[in-house]
Short mmCIF file of all heavy atoms in Angstrom, two decimals:
data_model
loop_
_atom_site.label_atom_id
_atom_site.label_comp_id
_atom_site.label_asym_id
_atom_site.label_seq_id
_atom_site.Cartn_x
_atom_site.Cartn_y
_atom_site.Cartn_z
N MET A 1 0.83 -1.20 0.00
CA MET A 1 0.00 0.00 0.00
C MET A 1 0.87 1.26 0.00
O MET A 1 0.52 2.25 -0.60
CB MET A 1 -0.91 -0.04 1.22
CG MET A 1 -1.98 0.98 1.18
SD MET A 1 -3.13 0.53 -0.12
CE MET A 1 -4.40 1.66 0.19
N LYS A 2 2.00 1.17 0.69
CA LYS A 2 2.88 2.34 0.77
C LYS A 2 3.50 2.65 -0.59
O LYS A 2 3.72 3.80 -0.93
CB LYS A 2 3.96 2.08 1.81
CG LYS A 2 4.68 3.32 2.21
CD LYS A 2 5.29 3.15 3.57
CE LYS A 2 5.81 4.48 3.99
NZ LYS A 2 5.59 4.84 5.30
N ILE A 3 3.77 1.62 -1.39
CA ILE A 3 4.33 1.84 -2.72
C ILE A 3 3.32 2.55 -3.60
O ILE A 3 3.66 3.44 -4.37
CB ILE A 3 4.79 0.51 -3.34
CG1 ILE A 3 5.96 -0.06 -2.55
CG2 ILE A 3 5.17 0.69 -4.80
CD1 ILE A 3 6.40 -1.42 -2.98
N GLY A 4 2.05 2.20 -3.50
CA GLY A 4 1.01 2.87 -4.27
C GLY A 4 0.90 4.34 -3.90
O GLY A 4 0.69 5.19 -4.77
N PHE A 5 1.03 4.65 -2.62
CA PHE A 5 0.97 6.03 -2.16
C PHE A 5 2.17 6.82 -2.70
O PHE A 5 2.03 7.97 -3.11
CB PHE A 5 0.93 6.09 -0.64
CG PHE A 5 0.90 7.48 -0.09
CD1 PHE A 5 -0.24 8.25 -0.22
CD2 PHE A 5 2.00 8.03 0.52
CE1 PHE A 5 -0.28 9.55 0.27
CE2 PHE A 5 1.98 9.32 1.01
CZ PHE A 5 0.83 10.08 0.89
N GLN A 6 3.33 6.19 -2.71
CA GLN A 6 4.54 6.86 -3.22
C GLN A 6 4.41 7.15 -4.71
O GLN A 6 4.79 8.23 -5.17
CB GLN A 6 5.76 5.96 -2.98
CG GLN A 6 6.02 5.69 -1.52
CD GLN A 6 7.11 6.55 -0.97
OE1 GLN A 6 7.86 7.15 -1.71
NE2 GLN A 6 7.19 6.63 0.34
N LYS A 7 3.84 6.20 -5.47
CA LYS A 7 3.64 6.42 -6.90
C LYS A 7 2.65 7.55 -7.15
O LYS A 7 2.86 8.39 -8.03
CB LYS A 7 3.12 5.14 -7.57
CG LYS A 7 4.17 4.13 -7.87
CD LYS A 7 3.57 2.98 -8.65
CE LYS A 7 4.62 2.02 -9.10
NZ LYS A 7 4.05 0.93 -9.91
N LEU A 8 1.57 7.58 -6.37
CA LEU A 8 0.57 8.63 -6.51
C LEU A 8 1.18 9.99 -6.17
O LEU A 8 0.95 10.97 -6.88
CB LEU A 8 -0.64 8.35 -5.63
CG LEU A 8 -1.75 9.38 -5.66
CD1 LEU A 8 -2.37 9.44 -7.05
CD2 LEU A 8 -2.80 9.06 -4.62
N LYS A 9 1.95 10.04 -5.11
CA LYS A 9 2.59 11.29 -4.71
C LYS A 9 3.56 11.78 -5.79
O LYS A 9 3.57 12.97 -6.13
CB LYS A 9 3.35 11.09 -3.39
CG LYS A 9 3.97 12.35 -2.86
CD LYS A 9 4.66 12.09 -1.54
CE LYS A 9 5.37 13.35 -1.08
NZ LYS A 9 6.13 13.12 0.13
N LYS A 10 4.32 10.88 -6.38
CA LYS A 10 5.27 11.25 -7.43
C LYS A 10 4.53 11.73 -8.67
O LYS A 10 4.93 12.70 -9.31
CB LYS A 10 6.16 10.06 -7.77
CG LYS A 10 7.28 10.39 -8.70
CD LYS A 10 8.21 9.20 -8.89
CE LYS A 10 9.34 9.59 -9.81
NZ LYS A 10 10.30 8.51 -9.98
N LEU A 11 3.42 11.07 -9.01
CA LEU A 11 2.62 11.48 -10.16
C LEU A 11 2.03 12.87 -9.95
O LEU A 11 2.08 13.71 -10.84
CB LEU A 11 1.50 10.47 -10.42
CG LEU A 11 0.55 10.82 -11.55
CD1 LEU A 11 1.26 10.66 -12.89
CD2 LEU A 11 -0.67 9.94 -11.51
N LEU A 12 1.50 13.14 -8.76
CA LEU A 12 0.93 14.46 -8.47
C LEU A 12 2.01 15.54 -8.46
O LEU A 12 1.78 16.65 -8.92
CB LEU A 12 0.19 14.44 -7.14
CG LEU A 12 -1.14 13.69 -7.15
CD1 LEU A 12 -1.72 13.64 -5.74
CD2 LEU A 12 -2.11 14.32 -8.11
N GLU A 13 3.20 15.23 -7.94
CA GLU A 13 4.29 16.21 -7.96
C GLU A 13 4.71 16.52 -9.39
O GLU A 13 4.95 17.68 -9.73
CB GLU A 13 5.49 15.67 -7.17
CG GLU A 13 5.33 15.74 -5.68
CD GLU A 13 6.50 15.14 -4.93
OE1 GLU A 13 7.40 14.53 -5.57
OE2 GLU A 13 6.52 15.25 -3.70
N LYS A 14 4.77 15.51 -10.24
CA LYS A 14 5.15 15.73 -11.63
C LYS A 14 4.07 16.51 -12.36
O LYS A 14 4.35 17.37 -13.18
CB LYS A 14 5.38 14.38 -12.32
CG LYS A 14 5.83 14.51 -13.75
CD LYS A 14 6.04 13.15 -14.38
CE LYS A 14 6.40 13.31 -15.84
NZ LYS A 14 6.42 12.04 -16.54
N PHE A 15 2.80 16.21 -12.06
CA PHE A 15 1.69 16.86 -12.74
C PHE A 15 1.59 18.34 -12.38
O PHE A 15 1.30 19.17 -13.23
CB PHE A 15 0.38 16.15 -12.36
CG PHE A 15 -0.81 16.60 -13.15
CD1 PHE A 15 -0.98 16.16 -14.44
CD2 PHE A 15 -1.74 17.45 -12.61
CE1 PHE A 15 -2.07 16.55 -15.18
CE2 PHE A 15 -2.84 17.85 -13.33
CZ PHE A 15 -3.00 17.40 -14.63
N PHE A 16 1.83 18.68 -11.12
CA PHE A 16 1.66 20.05 -10.66
C PHE A 16 2.97 20.76 -10.37
O PHE A 16 2.98 21.78 -9.68
CB PHE A 16 0.80 20.08 -9.40
CG PHE A 16 -0.65 19.77 -9.66
CD1 PHE A 16 -1.22 18.65 -9.12
CD2 PHE A 16 -1.41 20.59 -10.46
CE1 PHE A 16 -2.55 18.37 -9.37
CE2 PHE A 16 -2.73 20.32 -10.72
CZ PHE A 16 -3.30 19.20 -10.16
N LEU A 17 4.07 20.27 -10.87
CA LEU A 17 5.36 20.90 -10.61
C LEU A 17 5.45 22.26 -11.27
O LEU A 17 5.09 22.43 -12.43
CB LEU A 17 6.49 19.99 -11.12
CG LEU A 17 7.88 20.34 -10.64
CD1 LEU A 17 7.97 20.22 -9.13
CD2 LEU A 17 8.89 19.41 -11.27
N ILE A 18 5.93 23.25 -10.54
CA ILE A 18 5.99 24.61 -11.05
C ILE A 18 7.38 24.91 -11.62
O ILE A 18 7.72 26.05 -11.85
CB ILE A 18 5.58 25.62 -9.96
CG1 ILE A 18 5.20 26.96 -10.54
CG2 ILE A 18 6.67 25.82 -8.97
CD1 ILE A 18 3.77 27.21 -10.59
N ASP A 19 8.17 23.89 -11.85
CA ASP A 19 9.51 24.06 -12.41
C ASP A 19 9.39 24.26 -13.92
O ASP A 19 9.67 23.37 -14.71
CB ASP A 19 10.36 22.83 -12.09
CG ASP A 19 11.80 23.01 -12.50
OD1 ASP A 19 12.26 24.15 -12.56
OD2 ASP A 19 12.46 21.99 -12.77
N ASP A 20 8.93 25.45 -14.31
CA ASP A 20 8.66 25.78 -15.70
C ASP A 20 9.24 27.15 -16.02
O ASP A 20 9.69 27.87 -15.14
CB ASP A 20 7.14 25.83 -15.93
CG ASP A 20 6.65 24.71 -16.81
OD1 ASP A 20 7.47 24.12 -17.52
OD2 ASP A 20 5.44 24.42 -16.79
N THR A 21 9.17 27.49 -17.28
CA THR A 21 9.63 28.82 -17.70
C THR A 21 8.59 29.86 -17.28
O THR A 21 7.41 29.52 -17.11
CB THR A 21 9.80 28.87 -19.23
OG1 THR A 21 8.53 28.68 -19.85
CG2 THR A 21 10.77 27.81 -19.71
N PRO A 22 8.99 31.09 -17.09
CA PRO A 22 8.03 32.13 -16.73
C PRO A 22 6.92 32.30 -17.77
O PRO A 22 5.78 32.59 -17.43
CB PRO A 22 8.88 33.40 -16.64
CG PRO A 22 10.25 32.92 -16.33
CD PRO A 22 10.37 31.59 -17.03
N HIS A 23 7.24 32.06 -19.02
CA HIS A 23 6.25 32.17 -20.09
C HIS A 23 5.14 31.13 -19.91
O HIS A 23 3.95 31.44 -20.05
CB HIS A 23 6.93 32.00 -21.45
CG HIS A 23 5.98 32.11 -22.60
ND1 HIS A 23 5.21 31.07 -23.04
CD2 HIS A 23 5.66 33.16 -23.39
CE1 HIS A 23 4.47 31.46 -24.05
NE2 HIS A 23 4.72 32.73 -24.29
N LYS A 24 5.51 29.89 -19.60
CA LYS A 24 4.51 28.84 -19.44
C LYS A 24 3.67 29.04 -18.18
O LYS A 24 2.47 28.75 -18.17
CB LYS A 24 5.17 27.47 -19.41
CG LYS A 24 5.70 27.05 -20.76
CD LYS A 24 6.25 25.65 -20.71
CE LYS A 24 6.75 25.23 -22.08
NZ LYS A 24 7.23 23.86 -22.08
N VAL A 25 4.28 29.56 -17.13
CA VAL A 25 3.53 29.83 -15.89
C VAL A 25 2.53 30.97 -16.13
O VAL A 25 1.36 30.87 -15.75
CB VAL A 25 4.49 30.17 -14.73
CG1 VAL A 25 3.72 30.62 -13.51
CG2 VAL A 25 5.36 28.97 -14.40
N ALA A 26 2.97 32.03 -16.80
CA ALA A 26 2.08 33.15 -17.09
C ALA A 26 0.97 32.75 -18.05
O ALA A 26 -0.19 33.16 -17.88
CB ALA A 26 2.88 34.31 -17.68
N ALA A 27 1.29 31.93 -19.03
CA ALA A 27 0.27 31.47 -19.97
C ALA A 27 -0.76 30.58 -19.26
O ALA A 27 -1.96 30.68 -19.53
CB ALA A 27 0.92 30.71 -21.12
N GLY A 28 -0.30 29.74 -18.36
CA GLY A 28 -1.23 28.90 -17.60
C GLY A 28 -2.14 29.74 -16.72
O GLY A 28 -3.35 29.49 -16.63
N ALA A 29 -1.59 30.75 -16.07
CA ALA A 29 -2.40 31.63 -15.23
C ALA A 29 -3.41 32.39 -16.07
O ALA A 29 -4.58 32.53 -15.69
CB ALA A 29 -1.51 32.59 -14.45
N ALA A 30 -2.98 32.89 -17.21
CA ALA A 30 -3.89 33.63 -18.09
C ALA A 30 -5.01 32.73 -18.60
O ALA A 30 -6.18 33.14 -18.64
CB ALA A 30 -3.12 34.22 -19.26
N LEU A 31 -4.69 31.51 -18.97
CA LEU A 31 -5.71 30.57 -19.42
C LEU A 31 -6.71 30.27 -18.31
O LEU A 31 -7.92 30.26 -18.53
CB LEU A 31 -5.06 29.27 -19.90
CG LEU A 31 -6.01 28.17 -20.34
CD1 LEU A 31 -6.67 28.55 -21.66
CD2 LEU A 31 -5.28 26.85 -20.47
N GLY A 32 -6.19 30.04 -17.10
CA GLY A 32 -7.07 29.74 -15.98
C GLY A 32 -7.99 30.90 -15.63
O GLY A 32 -9.18 30.71 -15.38
N ILE A 33 -7.46 32.10 -15.62
CA ILE A 33 -8.28 33.28 -15.32
C ILE A 33 -9.33 33.49 -16.40
O ILE A 33 -10.49 33.76 -16.11
CB ILE A 33 -7.39 34.52 -15.13
CG1 ILE A 33 -6.57 34.37 -13.85
CG2 ILE A 33 -8.21 35.79 -15.10
CD1 ILE A 33 -5.47 35.38 -13.69
N PHE A 34 -8.93 33.34 -17.66
CA PHE A 34 -9.88 33.51 -18.75
C PHE A 34 -11.01 32.49 -18.68
O PHE A 34 -12.19 32.84 -18.80
CB PHE A 34 -9.16 33.39 -20.10
CG PHE A 34 -10.10 33.43 -21.27
CD1 PHE A 34 -10.69 34.63 -21.65
CD2 PHE A 34 -10.40 32.29 -21.98
CE1 PHE A 34 -11.56 34.68 -22.72
CE2 PHE A 34 -11.26 32.32 -23.06
CZ PHE A 34 -11.85 33.52 -23.43
N LEU A 35 -10.67 31.23 -18.46
CA LEU A 35 -11.72 30.21 -18.39
C LEU A 35 -12.51 30.29 -17.09
O LEU A 35 -13.64 29.80 -17.02
CB LEU A 35 -11.10 28.82 -18.57
CG LEU A 35 -10.57 28.53 -19.97
CD1 LEU A 35 -9.91 27.16 -20.01
CD2 LEU A 35 -11.66 28.63 -21.01
N GLY A 36 -11.93 30.90 -16.06
CA GLY A 36 -12.67 31.07 -14.81
C GLY A 36 -13.77 32.11 -14.93
O GLY A 36 -14.81 31.99 -14.27
N ILE A 37 -13.58 33.12 -15.76
CA ILE A 37 -14.62 34.15 -15.91
C ILE A 37 -15.56 33.85 -17.06
O ILE A 37 -16.57 34.51 -17.22
CB ILE A 37 -14.01 35.56 -16.08
CG1 ILE A 37 -13.15 35.65 -17.32
CG2 ILE A 37 -13.23 35.96 -14.85
CD1 ILE A 37 -12.65 37.04 -17.64
N THR A 38 -15.22 32.84 -17.88
CA THR A 38 -16.09 32.45 -18.99
C THR A 38 -17.16 31.50 -18.46
O THR A 38 -16.83 30.49 -17.83
CB THR A 38 -15.26 31.73 -20.08
OG1 THR A 38 -14.21 32.57 -20.48
CG2 THR A 38 -16.12 31.38 -21.27
N PRO A 39 -18.43 31.80 -18.70
CA PRO A 39 -19.49 30.90 -18.20
C PRO A 39 -19.43 29.54 -18.89
O PRO A 39 -19.19 29.44 -20.09
CB PRO A 39 -20.78 31.61 -18.58
CG PRO A 39 -20.40 32.96 -19.04
CD PRO A 39 -18.96 32.96 -19.37
N GLY A 40 -19.63 28.51 -18.12
CA GLY A 40 -19.71 27.17 -18.66
C GLY A 40 -18.41 26.40 -18.71
O GLY A 40 -18.40 25.21 -18.95
N GLU A 41 -17.31 27.06 -18.49
CA GLU A 41 -16.02 26.36 -18.50
C GLU A 41 -15.64 26.02 -17.07
O GLU A 41 -16.01 26.70 -16.13
CB GLU A 41 -14.93 27.22 -19.14
CG GLU A 41 -15.25 27.66 -20.54
CD GLU A 41 -15.49 26.51 -21.50
OE1 GLU A 41 -14.88 25.44 -21.33
OE2 GLU A 41 -16.30 26.68 -22.42
N GLY A 42 -14.86 24.97 -16.90
CA GLY A 42 -14.55 24.55 -15.55
C GLY A 42 -13.12 24.09 -15.38
O GLY A 42 -12.25 24.33 -16.21
N VAL A 43 -12.92 23.41 -14.27
CA VAL A 43 -11.59 22.97 -13.88
C VAL A 43 -11.06 21.93 -14.86
O VAL A 43 -9.90 21.99 -15.28
CB VAL A 43 -11.64 22.40 -12.44
CG1 VAL A 43 -10.32 21.80 -12.05
CG2 VAL A 43 -12.05 23.49 -11.46
N ILE A 44 -11.90 20.98 -15.24
CA ILE A 44 -11.44 19.90 -16.13
C ILE A 44 -11.03 20.48 -17.49
O ILE A 44 -10.00 20.11 -18.04
CB ILE A 44 -12.55 18.86 -16.32
CG1 ILE A 44 -13.00 18.35 -14.98
CG2 ILE A 44 -12.11 17.76 -17.26
CD1 ILE A 44 -12.46 17.06 -14.51
N THR A 45 -11.83 21.39 -18.02
CA THR A 45 -11.51 22.01 -19.31
C THR A 45 -10.19 22.76 -19.22
O THR A 45 -9.37 22.71 -20.15
CB THR A 45 -12.63 22.97 -19.74
OG1 THR A 45 -13.87 22.27 -19.73
CG2 THR A 45 -12.38 23.55 -21.09
N THR A 46 -9.98 23.44 -18.12
CA THR A 46 -8.74 24.19 -17.94
C THR A 46 -7.54 23.27 -17.91
O THR A 46 -6.52 23.54 -18.55
CB THR A 46 -8.80 25.01 -16.64
OG1 THR A 46 -9.94 25.86 -16.70
CG2 THR A 46 -7.56 25.83 -16.44
N LEU A 47 -7.64 22.17 -17.18
CA LEU A 47 -6.52 21.23 -17.10
C LEU A 47 -6.25 20.56 -18.44
O LEU A 47 -5.10 20.36 -18.82
CB LEU A 47 -6.79 20.18 -16.02
CG LEU A 47 -6.74 20.70 -14.59
CD1 LEU A 47 -7.11 19.59 -13.62
CD2 LEU A 47 -5.37 21.25 -14.26
N VAL A 48 -7.32 20.24 -19.18
CA VAL A 48 -7.14 19.62 -20.50
C VAL A 48 -6.46 20.60 -21.46
O VAL A 48 -5.51 20.24 -22.17
CB VAL A 48 -8.49 19.12 -21.05
CG1 VAL A 48 -8.39 18.76 -22.52
CG2 VAL A 48 -8.99 17.94 -20.25
N LEU A 49 -6.94 21.84 -21.50
CA LEU A 49 -6.35 22.82 -22.41
C LEU A 49 -4.93 23.18 -22.01
O LEU A 49 -4.06 23.37 -22.87
CB LEU A 49 -7.22 24.08 -22.47
CG LEU A 49 -8.52 23.93 -23.25
CD1 LEU A 49 -9.34 25.21 -23.16
CD2 LEU A 49 -8.26 23.57 -24.69
N ALA A 50 -4.66 23.27 -20.72
CA ALA A 50 -3.30 23.57 -20.27
C ALA A 50 -2.35 22.43 -20.64
O ALA A 50 -1.21 22.69 -21.05
CB ALA A 50 -3.28 23.81 -18.76
N SER A 51 -2.81 21.21 -20.55
CA SER A 51 -1.98 20.08 -20.96
C SER A 51 -1.78 20.06 -22.47
O SER A 51 -0.68 19.77 -22.95
CB SER A 51 -2.63 18.76 -20.52
OG SER A 51 -2.69 18.69 -19.13
N PHE A 52 -2.83 20.38 -23.21
CA PHE A 52 -2.75 20.38 -24.67
C PHE A 52 -1.77 21.43 -25.18
O PHE A 52 -0.99 21.18 -26.08
CB PHE A 52 -4.15 20.61 -25.26
CG PHE A 52 -4.18 20.65 -26.76
CD1 PHE A 52 -4.05 19.48 -27.49
CD2 PHE A 52 -4.32 21.85 -27.43
CE1 PHE A 52 -4.07 19.51 -28.87
CE2 PHE A 52 -4.34 21.89 -28.82
CZ PHE A 52 -4.22 20.71 -29.54
N PHE A 53 -1.81 22.62 -24.59
CA PHE A 53 -0.94 23.71 -25.03
C PHE A 53 0.41 23.73 -24.31
O PHE A 53 1.22 24.62 -24.54
CB PHE A 53 -1.63 25.06 -24.82
CG PHE A 53 -2.77 25.31 -25.75
CD1 PHE A 53 -4.05 25.52 -25.26
CD2 PHE A 53 -2.59 25.32 -27.12
CE1 PHE A 53 -5.11 25.74 -26.11
CE2 PHE A 53 -3.64 25.55 -27.98
CZ PHE A 53 -4.91 25.75 -27.48
N HIS A 54 0.65 22.77 -23.41
CA HIS A 54 1.89 22.67 -22.63
C HIS A 54 2.11 23.90 -21.75
O HIS A 54 3.24 24.37 -21.61
CB HIS A 54 3.10 22.43 -23.54
CG HIS A 54 3.00 21.19 -24.34
ND1 HIS A 54 3.12 19.94 -23.78
CD2 HIS A 54 2.75 20.99 -25.65
CE1 HIS A 54 2.97 19.02 -24.71
NE2 HIS A 54 2.74 19.64 -25.87
N PHE A 55 1.01 24.41 -21.16
CA PHE A 55 1.11 25.48 -20.17
C PHE A 55 1.24 24.85 -18.80
O PHE A 55 1.02 23.66 -18.62
CB PHE A 55 -0.12 26.38 -20.21
CG PHE A 55 -0.31 27.15 -21.48
CD1 PHE A 55 -1.55 27.64 -21.84
CD2 PHE A 55 0.74 27.40 -22.33
CE1 PHE A 55 -1.74 28.35 -23.00
CE2 PHE A 55 0.57 28.12 -23.51
CZ PHE A 55 -0.67 28.60 -23.84
N ASN A 56 1.57 25.66 -17.82
CA ASN A 56 1.69 25.16 -16.46
C ASN A 56 0.31 24.88 -15.89
O ASN A 56 -0.54 25.76 -15.80
CB ASN A 56 2.45 26.17 -15.60
CG ASN A 56 2.77 25.60 -14.25
OD1 ASN A 56 1.93 25.61 -13.38
ND2 ASN A 56 3.97 25.07 -14.11
N ARG A 57 0.08 23.63 -15.48
CA ARG A 57 -1.24 23.22 -15.01
C ARG A 57 -1.57 23.78 -13.63
O ARG A 57 -2.71 24.10 -13.34
CB ARG A 57 -1.32 21.70 -15.01
CG ARG A 57 -1.32 21.13 -16.41
CD ARG A 57 -1.37 19.62 -16.41
NE ARG A 57 -0.16 19.02 -15.88
CZ ARG A 57 0.85 18.59 -16.63
NH1 ARG A 57 0.79 18.70 -17.92
NH2 ARG A 57 1.91 18.06 -16.09
N LEU A 58 -0.57 23.90 -12.77
CA LEU A 58 -0.81 24.45 -11.44
C LEU A 58 -1.26 25.91 -11.52
O LEU A 58 -2.20 26.32 -10.84
CB LEU A 58 0.43 24.32 -10.56
CG LEU A 58 0.32 24.88 -9.15
CD1 LEU A 58 -0.79 24.18 -8.39
CD2 LEU A 58 1.63 24.74 -8.42
N ALA A 59 -0.59 26.69 -12.35
CA ALA A 59 -0.97 28.09 -12.51
C ALA A 59 -2.36 28.20 -13.13
O ALA A 59 -3.16 29.05 -12.72
CB ALA A 59 0.05 28.81 -13.38
N ALA A 60 -2.68 27.34 -14.09
CA ALA A 60 -4.00 27.36 -14.71
C ALA A 60 -5.08 26.97 -13.71
O ALA A 60 -6.14 27.61 -13.64
CB ALA A 60 -4.03 26.42 -15.91
N LEU A 61 -4.81 25.95 -12.91
CA LEU A 61 -5.78 25.52 -11.91
C LEU A 61 -5.99 26.60 -10.85
O LEU A 61 -7.12 26.87 -10.46
CB LEU A 61 -5.30 24.22 -11.25
CG LEU A 61 -6.22 23.62 -10.21
CD1 LEU A 61 -7.51 23.14 -10.87
CD2 LEU A 61 -5.55 22.47 -9.50
N THR A 62 -4.94 27.24 -10.43
CA THR A 62 -5.06 28.31 -9.44
C THR A 62 -5.86 29.49 -10.01
O THR A 62 -6.72 30.05 -9.33
CB THR A 62 -3.66 28.79 -9.01
OG1 THR A 62 -2.93 27.68 -8.51
CG2 THR A 62 -3.76 29.86 -7.95
N GLY A 63 -5.60 29.83 -11.26
CA GLY A 63 -6.33 30.93 -11.89
C GLY A 63 -7.81 30.64 -12.03
O GLY A 63 -8.65 31.50 -11.76
N VAL A 64 -8.15 29.43 -12.44
CA VAL A 64 -9.58 29.11 -12.61
C VAL A 64 -10.29 29.00 -11.27
O VAL A 64 -11.45 29.41 -11.14
CB VAL A 64 -9.78 27.84 -13.48
CG1 VAL A 64 -9.53 26.57 -12.70
CG2 VAL A 64 -11.17 27.81 -14.07
N LEU A 65 -9.64 28.49 -10.27
CA LEU A 65 -10.28 28.37 -8.95
C LEU A 65 -10.44 29.74 -8.29
O LEU A 65 -11.37 29.95 -7.51
CB LEU A 65 -9.50 27.42 -8.05
CG LEU A 65 -9.58 25.94 -8.45
CD1 LEU A 65 -8.71 25.12 -7.52
CD2 LEU A 65 -11.00 25.44 -8.45
N ALA A 66 -9.54 30.67 -8.57
CA ALA A 66 -9.62 32.00 -7.97
C ALA A 66 -10.71 32.84 -8.59
O ALA A 66 -11.27 33.73 -7.94
CB ALA A 66 -8.28 32.71 -8.10
N THR A 67 -11.02 32.61 -9.87
CA THR A 67 -11.98 33.48 -10.56
C THR A 67 -13.29 32.80 -10.90
O THR A 67 -14.23 33.47 -11.34
CB THR A 67 -11.37 34.02 -11.86
OG1 THR A 67 -11.00 32.92 -12.70
CG2 THR A 67 -10.17 34.89 -11.58
N ASN A 68 -13.39 31.51 -10.70
CA ASN A 68 -14.62 30.79 -11.04
C ASN A 68 -15.71 31.14 -10.03
O ASN A 68 -15.52 31.04 -8.83
CB ASN A 68 -14.37 29.28 -11.04
CG ASN A 68 -15.52 28.53 -11.65
OD1 ASN A 68 -16.66 28.94 -11.59
ND2 ASN A 68 -15.20 27.38 -12.23
N MET A 69 -16.86 31.51 -10.53
CA MET A 69 -17.98 31.94 -9.68
C MET A 69 -18.43 30.83 -8.74
O MET A 69 -18.78 31.07 -7.60
CB MET A 69 -19.14 32.36 -10.58
CG MET A 69 -20.42 32.62 -9.86
SD MET A 69 -21.69 33.21 -10.96
CE MET A 69 -22.09 31.76 -11.88
N TRP A 70 -18.39 29.58 -9.18
CA TRP A 70 -18.89 28.48 -8.36
C TRP A 70 -17.91 28.07 -7.27
O TRP A 70 -18.32 27.53 -6.25
CB TRP A 70 -19.20 27.29 -9.25
CG TRP A 70 -20.27 27.60 -10.25
CD1 TRP A 70 -20.09 27.79 -11.58
CD2 TRP A 70 -21.66 27.82 -9.99
NE1 TRP A 70 -21.27 28.09 -12.16
CE2 TRP A 70 -22.27 28.14 -11.23
CE3 TRP A 70 -22.44 27.81 -8.85
CZ2 TRP A 70 -23.61 28.41 -11.35
CZ3 TRP A 70 -23.79 28.08 -8.98
CH2 TRP A 70 -24.37 28.38 -10.20
N THR A 71 -16.63 28.30 -7.47
CA THR A 71 -15.66 27.89 -6.45
C THR A 71 -15.34 29.00 -5.45
O THR A 71 -14.77 28.73 -4.42
CB THR A 71 -14.35 27.42 -7.10
OG1 THR A 71 -13.83 28.47 -7.91
CG2 THR A 71 -14.57 26.19 -7.94
N THR A 72 -15.67 30.25 -5.78
CA THR A 72 -15.43 31.32 -4.81
C THR A 72 -16.63 31.42 -3.94
O THR A 72 -16.75 31.72 -2.89
CB THR A 72 -15.17 32.65 -5.52
OG1 THR A 72 -16.24 32.97 -6.38
CG2 THR A 72 -13.87 32.62 -6.27
#
């Protein structure tokens, strides 16, 4: 069970690691803020688009959660 937890922790660290260029972090934040104020878009859409465009997913997730009407 401990090995499964270690794998999950490593996967989450890799998925949300902020070790990126400033351009990718800013682009992720901009995408998250834009989709957070757009009606009908959500967290899943933000993560999918951030992954597709190779933006920082943590910055995108933070932006969408900060500006999304349903999560604030």
Side-chain angles (χ1 to χ4, degrees):
M1 192 69 170
K2 195 157 188 138
I3 293 174
F5 179 72
Q6 298 260 344
K7 281 186 173 182
L8 179 64
K9 183 178 175 184
K10 188 174 181 178
L11 177 71
L12 287 175
E13 284 177 353
K14 183 180 176 189
F15 188 77
F16 289 116
L17 193 63
I18 198 104
D19 187 26
D20 248 341
T21 64
H23 181 277
K24 288 184 179 183
V25 173
L31 177 71
I33 291 169
F34 175 73
L35 291 177
I37 61 173
T38 305
E41 303 302 328
V43 174
I44 305 261
T45 305
T46 303
L47 290 176
V48 168
L49 287 176
S51 296
F52 179 74
F53 290 120
H54 300 288
F55 295 159
N56 188 277
R57 291 179 292 264
L58 179 60
L61 182 66
T62 303
V64 78
L65 290 177
T67 58
N68 192 330
M69 171 176 72
W70 298 106
T71 58
T72 56

